């Protein structure tokens, strides 16, 4: 199974559009669908990043983007933290896919083109290396930041049989700030048809 190990992130102040990136603002293919938190008075979730699916699971000529959002503090100095982000269907995390994908029933979205983001000054571009993973691969060799491949679950998380990994991040070691726990790993998973996705968080 192919995986794409993230070796590092490089920052750019100029925002390139329709690429895989973290920070900046989402490049909406269709009408904006910005998730908001009903529990926090329609507070917009923070934009984490977007992943160009045709770089990994789609044919090159078909543009499709996965947008990742999460209820987050304003910055590193903000003590706000919502523990409900560990639940993938409570509306405090969101995976939006465009074009032509339905919004999950547990999400509320608004027509906001821009909103809070993990970095408003720079965008962060992952630099990747293609690697091969199998079920026999040692855990240490799959337990790194990457796209696709075998998820390095350390808490025996269970997912649907048709789920596949899109993104795995150890969020404490990123150049942009995501607060999802003390020693967490964040997983973004899709179903086999790339029609829906969700975020799973494991915290040691």
């Amino acid at each position: 199974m192919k995986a794409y190990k993230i070796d590092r992130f490089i920052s750019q102040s100029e925002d390139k559009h329709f690429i895989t990136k973290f920070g900046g603002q989402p490049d909406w293919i269709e009408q904006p669908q910005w998730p908001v938190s009903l529990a926090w008075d329609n507070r917009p979730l923070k934009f984490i990043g977007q992943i160009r699916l045709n770089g990994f699971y789609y044919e090159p000529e078909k543009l499709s983007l996965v947008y990742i959002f999460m209820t987050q503090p304003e910055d590193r100095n903000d003590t706000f933290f919502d523990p409900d982000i560990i639940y993938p269907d409570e509306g405090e995390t969101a995976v939006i896919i465009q074009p032509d994908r339905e919004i999950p029933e547990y999400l509320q979205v608004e027509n906001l083109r821009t909103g809070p983001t993990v970095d408003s000054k720079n965008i962060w571009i992952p630099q990747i290396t293609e690697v091969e993973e199998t079920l026999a691969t040692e855990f240490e060799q799959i337990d790194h930041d990457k796209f696709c491949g075998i998820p390095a679950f350390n808490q025996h998380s269970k997912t649907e049989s048709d789920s596949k990994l899109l993104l795995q991040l150890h969020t404490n070691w990123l150049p942009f700030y995501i607060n999802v726990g003390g020693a967490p790993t964040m997983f973004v998973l899709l179903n086999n048809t790339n029609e829906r996705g969700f975020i799973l968080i494991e915290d040691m």
Side-chain angles (χ1 to χ4, degrees):
M1 177 184 295
K2 286 184 179 180
Y4 303 87
K5 181 180 179 182
I6 301 175
D7 300 313
R8 65 188 186 281
F9 294 88
I10 60 172
S11 64
Q12 295 183 1
S13 57
E14 181 180 352
D15 198 349
K16 296 183 178 180
H17 299 297
F18 303 109
I19 63 171
T20 296
K21 66 178 184 180
F22 297 86
Q25 296 292 334
D27 301 315
W28 300 107
I29 299 174
E30 300 178 323
Q31 191 80 1
Q33 297 171 313
W34 200 293
V36 298
S37 171
L38 295 178
W40 295 99
D41 298 323
N42 288 342
R43 171 181 174 148
L45 274 61
K46 182 171 281 189
F47 176 63
I48 306 300
Q50 67 187 32
I51 299 172
R52 183 168 172 145
L53 269 183
N54 54 306
F56 304 107
Y57 285 126
Y58 268 57
E59 294 299 322
E61 67 272 12
K62 298 177 69 174
L63 173 62
S64 186
L65 290 176
V66 174
Y67 310 92
I68 304 165
F69 296 86
M70 189 177 302
T71 296
Q72 284 286 283
E74 291 188 13
D75 53 40
R76 293 179 186 272
N77 298 318
D78 184 1
T79 59
F80 172 84
F81 180 76
D82 189 340
D84 286 345
I85 60 174
I86 67 171
Y87 302 111
D89 56 357
E90 291 293 318
E92 303 305 331
T93 63
V95 174
I96 304 293
I97 306 173
Q98 289 188 353
D100 305 325
R101 296 295 183 267
E102 293 185 3
I103 301 298
E105 65 280 357
Y106 58 84
L107 290 180
Q108 174 71 34
V109 300
E110 300 290 346
N111 185 19
L112 304 174
R113 184 159 296 278
T114 62
T117 174
V118 293
D119 197 323
S120 59
K121 296 180 179 179
N122 297 290
I123 63 170
W124 296 91
I125 311 298
Q127 306 300 291
I128 60 176
T129 299
E130 183 178 317
V131 296
E132 191 71 23
E133 297 178 349
T134 69
L135 294 177
T137 304
E138 295 291 331
F139 182 82
E140 291 76 13
Q141 295 178 293
I142 65 172
D143 187 29
H144 48 71
D145 295 343
K146 63 183 178 181
F147 299 99
C148 310
I150 299 172
F153 293 140
N154 54 47
Q155 296 177 353
H156 306 291
S157 293
K158 295 184 182 296
T159 61
E160 298 294 331
S161 59
D162 69 340
S163 295
K164 61 186 179 184
L165 181 68
L166 177 61
L167 174 66
Q168 176 176 292
L169 284 180
H170 298 80
T171 59
N172 284 356
W173 313 109
L174 301 173
F176 42 91
Y177 181 61
I178 306 177
N179 183 359
V180 294
T185 305
M186 182 177 79
F187 305 88
V188 178
L189 299 112
L190 302 177
N191 70 341
N192 282 336
T193 56
N194 303 316
E195 293 178 346
R196 54 184 170 83
F198 64 95
I199 294 174
L200 182 66
I201 294 168
E202 290 190 343
D203 195 4
M204 296 292 289

